[in-house]
Amino acid sequence: MNEKDNSINASYYHIVNPLTNTIVGAEVTHSFSTNVNTITVGTQHALDPLTTIKAQMNHAGKANVLIQHKWHSKSLFTISGEVDTKSIDKSPKVGLALALKP
């Protein structure tokens, strides 16, 4: 069965401050095959016109953070991280990405 046919989700977001692009949101997903609900809450905020920070956490204790900087036209530099707060024996994940567009 296709993943899209196997689950249903609902989401909501609210613009807190349009000047700083501060947004909060939440998503609830239900999987029919496993009968599991996933709840995720997140936020984003523009530190300056070129730098955005995003964070989210789900009900299982996984936290994600992303910092993205636009340094040339459409080119982006991104640093991201993920940690499982309920499993401190697992190492956190860190990622770097560079997207270059002419």
Side-chain angles (χ1 to χ4, degrees), residues 34-96:
T34 60
N35 200 28
V36 173
N37 294 321
T38 303
I39 301 168
T40 305
V41 294
T43 186
Q44 84 172 26
H45 176 73
L47 298 175
D48 58 49
L50 301 175
T51 308
T52 301
I53 186 167
K54 297 179 181 181
Q56 70 178 24
M57 187 162 192
N58 70 12
H59 76 284
K62 286 200 177 180
N64 300 295
V65 175
L66 176 138
I67 299 172
Q68 194 167 59
H69 181 71
K70 185 186 294 185
W71 60 278
H72 183 272
S73 184
K74 296 179 183 176
S75 298
L76 301 171
F77 177 69
T78 305
I79 300 172
S80 62
E82 177 182 280
V83 65
D84 188 349
T85 61
K86 291 188 177 180
S87 240
I88 58 171
D89 58 327
K90 291 183 182 177
S91 297
K93 297 177 184 178
V94 177
L96 299 171

